[in-house]
């Protein structure tokens, strides 16, 4: 791996060395109890109130239920960010508090706490590394790999990258099915966390079905899971799947470059920034996962080099849907057109 301190193409100034940037972000890594409590209150209380509103609306009309369920789904994205911070041990100073709140918010997001924490730590350690793809990231092939793949693998890849599959079907498969199964490679704590969460979710489903009725609960929960899952997967997608993203072989891979070039600064309107728990400052988060979400924005504005990271707006982010493969020649994500051009050139050259 390379060491930090080089000039990155997307920045106009040399980024500080590892020791320098660690000193810059250190003060933002300290959790704030009052900020954490305020965030819990202004997230969980509205979520509970929305469920209460859904109970009331069910007596009147589904035309009232559906909008409330959609709002609850959007709020679950913010719940997940709290869960996410607890997994990083950054939301509270107390490990016990992080674990307790992490389990509770994990139940609301259908995600086993310890298993997810383990898998997500691997994502942070390997993002942008071409030789360590496949753990906690969106399936990404290089142009050369795609051209050399079998017809079946190419079909599977196209299907997996299809927007409908990626943002509608995949969230249900991930949160409803895959999160119920222990992952290979995890230790006893990770595997047990899946079974404990499954039991907790079963109990929750029984209680909610008793209150709302089984059919009503399943429909409302499906809407909430669909909305939150689609939004969550989209956020995760755009955090690392943009044109000038960073991918390098293990020998050339650099942690700092992977954070500042391989993780996006997704500039969102204030209301969406609030709902997404500031995770749009993903370049800061990958630089230091110990920074809680409520400190990410302040850290971003604390040093000029962070602000040189080019922001991605909503309009620009939509263009990322056309990017499918990593072009090792151009060092950027490209679409099918570029792949066909390279394939034609290879055929012309007799390769």
């Amino acid at each position: 791996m390379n060491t930090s301190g080089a000039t990155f193409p997307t920045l106009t100034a040399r980024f500080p060395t590892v020791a320098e940037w660690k000193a810059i972000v250190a003060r933002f890594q300290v959790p704030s109890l009052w900020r954490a409590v305020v965030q819990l209150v202004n997230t969980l209380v509205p979520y509970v109130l929305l469920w209460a509103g859904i109970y009331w609306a069910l007596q009147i009309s589904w035309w009232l239920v559906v909008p409330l369920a959609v709002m609850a789904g959007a709020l679950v994205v913010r719940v997940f960010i709290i869960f996410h911070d607890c997994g990083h041990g950054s939301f509270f100073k107390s490990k016990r508090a992080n674990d307790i709140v992490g389990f509770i918010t994990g139940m609301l997001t259908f995600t086993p706490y310890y298993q997810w924490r383990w898998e997500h730590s691997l994502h942070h350690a390997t993002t942008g590394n071409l030789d360590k793809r496949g753990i906690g990231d969106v399936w990404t092939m290089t142009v050369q790999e795609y051209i050399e793949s079998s017809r079946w693998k190419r079909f599977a890849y196209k299907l997996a990258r299809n927007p409908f599959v990626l943002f509608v079907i995949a969230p249900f498969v991930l949160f409803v099915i895959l999160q119920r199964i222990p992952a290979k490679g995890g230790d006893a704590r990770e595997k047990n966390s899946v079974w404990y969460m499954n039991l907790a979710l079963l109990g929750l489903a029984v209680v909610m079905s008793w209150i709302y009725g089984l059919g009503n609960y399943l429909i409302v929960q499906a809407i909430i899971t669909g909305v939150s899952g689609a939004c969550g997967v989209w956020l995760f997608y755009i955090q690392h799947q943009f044109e000038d993203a960073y991918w390098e072989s293990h020998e050339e891979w650099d942690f700092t470059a992977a954070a500042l070039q391989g993780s996006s600064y997704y500039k969102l309107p204030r209301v969406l920034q609030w709902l997404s728990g500031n995770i749009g400052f993903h370049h800061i988060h990958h630089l230091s996962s110990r920074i809680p979400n409520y400190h990410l924005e302040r850290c971003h504005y604390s040093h000029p080099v962070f602000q040189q990271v080019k922001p991605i707006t909503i309009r620009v982010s939509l263009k990322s849907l056309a990017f499918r493969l990593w072009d090792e020649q151009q060092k950027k994500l490209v679409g099918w057109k570029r792949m066909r051009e390279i394939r034609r050139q290879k055929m012309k050259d007799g390769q």
Side-chain angles (χ1 to χ4, degrees):
M1 295 187 298
N2 285 342
T3 56
S4 297
T7 300
F8 301 143
T10 55
L11 306 179
T12 59
R14 180 191 69 83
F15 192 79
T17 63
V18 172
E20 290 171 339
W21 69 250
K22 282 187 175 181
I24 294 170
V25 304
R27 64 191 176 98
F28 299 102
Q29 294 175 328
V30 181
S32 167
L33 178 60
W34 79 267
R35 287 183 184 278
V37 171
V38 167
Q39 192 167 83
L40 276 175
V41 171
N42 66 27
T43 302
L44 297 184
V45 171
Y47 185 65
V48 171
L49 290 176
L50 282 170
W51 269 104
I54 289 170
Y55 181 83
W56 166 78
L58 281 168
Q59 319 306 316
I60 303 174
S61 170
W62 275 93
W63 289 104
L64 295 175
V65 173
V66 173
L68 290 174
V70 169
M71 287 190 284
L75 199 57
V76 167
V77 177
R78 185 169 168 86
V79 174
F80 189 89
I81 298 303
I82 294 174
F83 164 84
H84 166 271
D85 278 11
C86 289
H88 282 294
S90 64
F91 197 67
F92 294 105
K93 287 183 181 179
S94 166
K95 179 181 181 300
R96 184 175 180 81
N98 280 316
D99 291 347
I100 292 173
V101 173
F103 182 85
I104 294 171
T105 51
M107 185 166 61
L108 298 179
T109 58
F110 286 30
T111 310
Y113 179 67
Y114 287 113
Q115 175 166 285
W116 178 89
R117 188 174 75 172
W118 167 65
E119 290 183 327
H120 194 62
S121 68
L122 297 178
H123 162 70
H124 272 261
T126 60
T127 184
N129 191 321
L130 282 171
D131 298 320
K132 295 187 177 182
R133 282 168 289 169
I135 302 175
D137 55 26
V138 176
W139 186 12
T140 304
M141 295 178 70
T142 67
V143 173
Q144 187 66 26
E145 287 170 344
Y146 182 85
I147 292 174
E148 295 176 353
S149 294
S150 65
R151 181 175 296 181
W152 164 248
K153 190 170 184 179
R154 292 198 299 269
F155 169 77
Y157 186 75
K158 279 189 173 182
L159 186 65
R161 302 283 297 205
N162 179 280
F164 181 79
V165 172
L166 194 57
F167 304 115
V168 178
I169 297 177
F172 279 101
V173 173
L174 173 62
F175 290 103
V176 178
I177 300 175
L178 297 183
Q179 298 284 30
R180 311 280 69 80
I181 305 170
K184 294 180 179 179
D187 62 21
R189 183 173 67 172
E190 277 79 52
K191 292 178 180 178
N192 288 337
S193 75
V194 177
W195 302 125
Y196 293 147
M197 183 57 68
N198 289 348
L199 285 174
L201 289 174
L202 178 60
L204 178 66
V206 169
V207 171
M208 297 297 278
S209 297
W210 175 68
I211 296 173
Y212 291 85
L214 177 60
N216 290 338
Y217 169 65
L218 291 177
I219 294 172
V220 171
Q221 187 62 65
I223 295 171
I224 292 174
T225 301
V227 171
S228 60
C231 292
V233 171
W234 168 253
L235 285 171
F236 187 77
Y237 178 87
I238 198 60
Q239 285 162 1
H240 302 286
Q241 297 284 318
F242 51 96
E243 186 173 16
D244 297 316
Y246 176 92
W247 288 95
E248 287 288 354
S249 62
H250 183 66
E251 293 75 16
E252 299 297 322
W253 184 83
D254 180 90
F255 176 85
T256 309
L260 289 183
Q261 289 182 256
S263 303
S264 65
Y265 166 28
Y266 198 20
K267 193 170 184 179
L268 296 169
R270 275 292 171 181
V271 64
L272 296 182
Q273 182 181 324
W274 186 88
L275 283 170
S276 61
N278 297 311
I279 203 62
F281 297 95
H282 210 61
H283 56 304
I284 302 296
H285 172 64
H286 264 263
L287 196 63
S288 175
S289 61
R290 297 291 298 181
I291 299 174
N293 76 84
Y294 45 76
H295 286 334
L296 289 175
E297 184 174 13
R298 283 188 291 278
C299 185
H300 169 77
Y301 288 110
S302 71
H303 196 282
V305 75
F306 298 149
Q307 296 166 51
Q308 292 176 37
V309 175
K310 185 178 179 181
I312 295 177
T313 62
I314 292 178
R315 182 179 62 81
V316 172
S317 71
L318 295 176
K319 297 179 181 179
S320 293
L321 291 171
F323 302 138
R324 297 289 188 268
L325 301 159
W326 177 252
D327 187 343
E328 292 183 282
Q329 297 176 11
Q330 296 186 351
K331 296 289 184 181
K332 65 180 183 179
L333 285 170
V334 297
W336 301 124
K337 181 180 179 181
R338 170 64 178 166
M339 179 276 297
R340 288 191 288 269
E341 291 173 353
I342 294 176
R343 185 167 58 186
R344 283 195 295 267
Q345 186 62 45
K346 286 182 176 293
M347 292 176 64
K348 183 178 179 181
D349 296 339
Q351 296 182 15

